[in-house]
């Protein structure tokens, strides 16, 4: 009869928390790359055009990174003070940025040459953005409370708005109407301006000035009908069509929300905060579907248009870039798109395109024989584990030593001990050990005496070890200390079980009284 290997007992594990498909998707953004800058990273923006390079603004420079390699491809450092809000034009050819002197500069992204200098603001400019529908126009928002729209070719102001009464730290031009500008200010208001009338058409927020909270960020939906604003830890949704009515306010952050970003389809909203958290909201319900934790307060946040990169800038100067590997189906051509060579196929031609060879299938065809053919299968003998080989040779002590190593899971160790008990060989396996060989046995018992999977077996083995080695106690300080630790853990577990029994009794009384009351 062949030797039967030891059967390792599989214990039921507690059910792990199942992640929703939404959470599983966002968990694909992993392997974060951390890049250390010299100062806090205040702005990140991805280019709308491929290859979706992104501009990172920190200290007195704007750096352009390549998304594939996470390496700096261009560095623009022609600023006299701290640079702000580096922004790449939709065609990916120009970069605009402001600084703390109030200067706004337009650069060529390849040569890094200064193409235009817009010098009108008197205080730091925290927002500089190209208009998505009018690429020759630039929006700038400054601490001098003004909002300006510039014409880049003529280097002149198209319009200037003076409605705000405090720092203007956020703003953008509508992606559905180039005449509408949404801004947020430290005067606790969000305002909608129209360049055609040069007036403020809508004011949102700023009711009670005594408890007013500065508006840190604003974000307009691509449709242009709704907008979001963040003031402190509170996020608000505004209906622009209904005259700026607040539809809802919600807060899932503990500290100020510093950044807002939509994913590629504007179906999910990402918010970054000073509480080190980035939360993902479902736009349809505004419920948090995923949370990411960062090592420092998040100052800025951006997601690439193709949804493969999430970049976050932090107050300690760290730039974190998380990447997601897109599936092959996401980058595939449309199913009905005509490919090269399709015309010849329609004409009935079967020849490959000139200059292109045929690709062979990697799957090898399986050999087929006659139906009545007799086929002999060769079965490879299973290799026995080390402890199985030792058990087969009746070397019980060596078999026990082989499963007491650190890299052996406890389920294997206790399965072998159970097999030794069945063979009536546990006593012989434990006999004749000095302090060096007895130490791993005691460490295993101390570690798992409170484990409900092995508690009963540990108690039986401990009783046998104590019976066998009581005469030699006091000869090794190490063995004595391990026996004391085992005793303390057993006493602590007994106290814990008594408390559980008391709690169980109290709960049963509460449930019984609740049932009587209900009936």
């Amino acid at each position: 009869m062949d030797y039967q290997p030891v059967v390792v007992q599989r214990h039921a594990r507690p059910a792990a928390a199942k992640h929703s498909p939404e959470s599983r998707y966002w968990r694909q953004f992993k392997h974060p790359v951390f890049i250390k800058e010299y100062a806090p990273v205040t702005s990140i923006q991805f280019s709308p055009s491929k290859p979706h390079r992104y501009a990172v603004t920190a200290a007195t420079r704007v750096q352009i990174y390549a998304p594939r390699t996470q390496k700096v491809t261009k560095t623009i450092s022609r600023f006299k003070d701290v640079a702000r809000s580096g922004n790449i034009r939709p065609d990916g050819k120009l970069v605009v940025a402001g600084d703390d002197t109030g200067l706004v500069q337009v650069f060529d992204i390849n040569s890094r040459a200064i193409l235009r200098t817009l010098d009108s603001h008197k205080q730091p400019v925290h927002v500089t953005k190209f208009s998505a529908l009018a690429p020759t126009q630039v929006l700038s928002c400054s601490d001098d409370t003004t909002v300006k729209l510039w014409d880049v070719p003529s280097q002149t102001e198209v319009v200037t708005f003076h409605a705000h009464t405090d720092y203007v730290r956020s703003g953008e031009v509508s992606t559905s109407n180039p005449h509408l500008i949404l801004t947020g200010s430290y005067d606790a208001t969000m305002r909608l301006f129209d360049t055609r009338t040069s007036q403020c058409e809508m004011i949102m927020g700023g009711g009670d000035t005594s408890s007013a909270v500065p508006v840190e960020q604003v974000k307009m939906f691509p449709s242009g009908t709704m907008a979001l604003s963040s003031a402190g830890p509170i996020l608000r949704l505004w209906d622009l069509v209904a005259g700026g009515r607040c539809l809802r306010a919600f807060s899932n952050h503990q500290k100020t929300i510093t950044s807002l970003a939509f994913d590629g389809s504007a179906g999910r909203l990402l918010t970054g905060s000073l509480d080190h958290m980035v939360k993902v909201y479902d736009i349809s319900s505004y419920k948090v579907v995923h949370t990411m934790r960062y090592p420092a307060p998040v100052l800025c946040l951006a997601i690439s248009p193709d949804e493969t990169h999430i970049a976050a800038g932090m107050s300690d100067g760290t730039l974190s870039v998380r990447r997601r590997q897109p599936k092959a189906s996401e980058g595939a051509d449309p199913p009905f798109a005509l490919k090269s060579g399709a015309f010849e196929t329609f004409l009935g031609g079967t020849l490959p395109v000139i200059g292109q060879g045929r690709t062979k299938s990697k799957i090898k065809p399986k050999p087929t024989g006659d139906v009545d053919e007799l086929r002999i299968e060769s079965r490879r003998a299973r290799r026995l584990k080390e402890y199985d080989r030792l058990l087969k040779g009746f070397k019980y002590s060596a078999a026990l030593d082989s499963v007491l190593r650190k890299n052996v899971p406890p389920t294997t160790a206790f399965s072998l001990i159970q097999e030794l008990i069945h063979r009536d060989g546990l006593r012989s396996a434990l006999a004749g050990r000095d302090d060096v060989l007895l130490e791993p046995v005691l460490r295993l018992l101390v570690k798992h005496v409170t484990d409900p999977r092995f508690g009963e077996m540990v108690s039986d083995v401990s009783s046998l070890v104590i019976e066998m080695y009581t005469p030699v106690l006091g000869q090794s300080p190490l063995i004595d200390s391990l026996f004391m630790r085992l005793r303390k853990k057993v006493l602590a577990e007994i106290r814990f079980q008594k408390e559980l029994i008391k709690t169980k009794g109290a709960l049963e009384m509460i449930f019984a009284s609740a049932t009587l009351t209900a009936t």
Side-chain angles (χ1 to χ4, degrees):
M1 183 177 179
D2 292 339
Y3 171 80
Q4 298 297 323
V6 174
V7 178
V8 179
Q9 297 294 329
R10 301 295 178 188
H11 296 271
R13 292 184 176 181
K18 293 185 178 180
H19 299 292
S20 64
E22 186 82 29
S23 182
R24 285 197 296 271
Y25 171 80
W26 292 104
R27 283 177 178 272
Q28 294 176 16
F29 288 91
K30 49 189 176 180
H31 309 304
V33 177
F34 293 100
I35 303 165
K36 193 68 175 176
E37 297 288 348
Y38 298 116
V41 180
T42 56
S43 173
I44 302 173
Q45 185 250 347
F46 280 90
S47 171
S49 59
K50 291 185 177 181
H52 304 304
R53 294 182 290 181
Y54 55 98
V56 177
T57 309
T60 57
R61 64 186 184 183
V62 176
Q63 293 180 307
I64 311 299
Y65 283 83
R68 286 185 179 272
T69 62
Q70 317 305 330
K71 298 292 180 63
V72 178
T73 58
K74 302 289 180 183
T75 300
I76 302 171
S77 57
R78 304 177 69 173
F79 299 95
K80 296 179 181 178
D81 207 331
V82 177
R84 304 283 181 183
S85 188
N87 187 268
I88 303 175
R89 200 165 72 170
D91 60 5
K93 295 181 179 180
L94 301 182
V95 176
V96 63
D99 63 22
D100 281 2
T101 65
L103 197 65
V104 178
Q105 299 178 91
V106 180
F107 304 89
D108 182 276
I109 198 169
N110 293 318
S111 66
R112 296 171 293 174
I114 299 176
L115 303 181
R116 292 291 186 272
T117 300
L118 312 174
D119 186 9
S120 178
H121 289 291
K122 306 303 180 185
Q123 290 189 36
V125 177
H126 281 261
V127 178
T128 55
K129 291 182 180 178
F130 281 102
S131 172
L133 299 180
T136 59
Q137 293 183 343
V138 167
L139 171 70
S140 65
C141 304
S142 170
D143 284 358
D144 61 10
T145 73
T146 63
V147 177
K148 296 177 183 290
L149 189 67
W150 301 84
D151 180 63
V152 175
S154 62
Q155 207 167 329
T156 57
E157 301 174 21
V158 177
V159 64
T160 301
F161 301 102
H162 300 273
H164 284 294
T165 59
D166 207 335
Y167 300 159
V168 185
R169 293 289 176 88
S170 61
E172 63 178 22
V173 182
S174 172
T175 55
S176 60
N177 187 339
H179 302 291
L180 297 180
I181 298 173
L182 186 70
T183 61
S185 169
Y186 276 23
D187 61 10
T189 64
M190 181 171 71
R191 296 173 185 262
L192 185 67
F193 297 100
D194 192 331
T195 58
R196 293 166 292 192
T197 61
S198 301
Q199 298 292 327
C200 173
E201 301 297 336
M202 205 176 295
I203 303 175
M204 290 153 277
D208 186 5
T209 56
S210 60
S211 60
V213 180
V215 176
E216 293 288 345
Q217 283 294 325
V218 296
K219 195 73 178 174
M220 190 181 294
F221 280 74
S223 61
T225 57
M226 295 200 299
L228 290 158
S229 70
S230 67
I234 300 174
L235 203 60
R236 289 182 173 86
L237 177 66
W238 306 87
D239 189 347
L240 302 181
V241 178
R245 183 167 60 92
C246 182
L247 297 179
R248 63 188 302 170
F250 46 97
S251 176
N252 294 98
H253 287 281
Q254 302 301 317
K255 294 184 179 179
T256 300
I257 299 171
T258 56
S259 51
L260 306 174
F262 284 126
D263 67 348
S265 61
R268 300 293 180 268
L269 172 70
L270 282 75
T271 62
S273 169
L274 296 179
D275 61 5
H276 302 206
M277 309 296 281
V278 169
K279 294 184 182 291
V280 183
Y281 292 84
D282 184 349
I283 293 300
S284 60
S285 61
Y286 289 97
K287 292 183 178 179
V288 176
V289 294
H290 188 65
T291 300
M292 307 176 202
R293 184 182 295 275
Y294 285 84
V298 178
L299 297 182
C300 52
L301 180 70
I303 182 169
S304 61
D306 57 0
E307 297 182 23
T308 57
H309 292 74
I310 295 177
M314 287 165 264
S315 61
D316 64 350
T318 303
L319 170 66
S320 170
V321 182
R322 299 180 183 228
R323 293 170 293 172
R324 179 181 70 90
Q325 191 65 32
K327 296 180 180 178
S329 58
E330 294 182 33
D333 293 332
F336 300 105
L338 289 178
K339 298 182 180 179
S340 61
F343 182 65
E344 289 82 354
T345 304
F346 288 147
L347 295 179
T350 58
L351 293 175
V353 181
I354 296 175
Q356 296 181 2
R358 293 184 181 275
T359 56
K360 293 184 178 180
S361 174
K362 294 183 179 179
I363 304 174
K364 294 182 179 180
K366 293 183 179 179
T368 56
D370 297 333
V371 178
D372 299 329
E373 183 177 338
L374 180 62
R375 197 173 169 194
I376 301 175
E377 292 185 5
S378 59
R379 291 187 178 182
R380 183 179 296 179
R382 291 183 59 184
R383 293 185 60 182
L384 294 177
K385 300 288 182 65
E386 182 183 2
Y387 54 83
D388 277 319
R389 292 199 303 270
L390 294 170
L391 273 182
K392 187 176 180 182
F394 301 98
K395 299 177 181 178
Y396 294 157
S397 182
L400 180 59
D401 290 336
S402 68
V403 297
L404 294 177
R405 298 167 187 160
K406 291 184 178 180
N407 59 347
V408 178
T411 51
T412 303
F414 284 102
S415 296
L416 183 120
I417 291 174
Q418 185 67 51
E419 179 68 21
L420 289 174
I421 294 173
H422 289 164
R423 293 181 176 219
D424 199 17
L426 182 59
R427 182 179 288 271
S428 62
L430 292 172
R433 291 176 175 265
D434 57 10
D435 56 349
V436 176
L437 295 177
L438 188 58
E439 179 191 353
V441 177
L442 289 176
R443 289 195 183 278
L444 179 73
L445 300 177
V446 170
K447 185 175 181 180
H448 297 287
V449 67
T450 59
D451 192 326
R453 298 175 297 172
F454 317 117
E456 187 176 352
M457 191 181 299
V458 170
S459 300
D460 296 338
V461 177
S462 300
S463 300
L464 182 59
V465 171
I466 292 170
E467 176 193 337
M468 294 175 63
Y469 289 95
T470 299
V472 297
L473 284 179
Q475 297 182 11
S476 172
L478 176 60
I479 299 301
D480 294 346
S481 66
L482 288 173
F483 272 116
M484 289 300 298
R485 284 177 56 188
L486 181 62
R487 181 174 181 272
K488 288 180 180 178
K489 289 197 74 170
V490 170
L491 292 175
E493 181 67 15
I494 291 173
R495 287 195 299 269
F496 177 65
Q497 294 293 337
K498 288 180 178 179
E499 292 295 328
L500 283 181
I501 293 172
K502 291 179 183 178
T503 306
K504 180 183 177 183
L507 289 174
E508 287 177 350
M509 290 178 62
I510 294 172
F511 292 148
S513 61
T515 305
L516 291 174
T517 305
T519 55

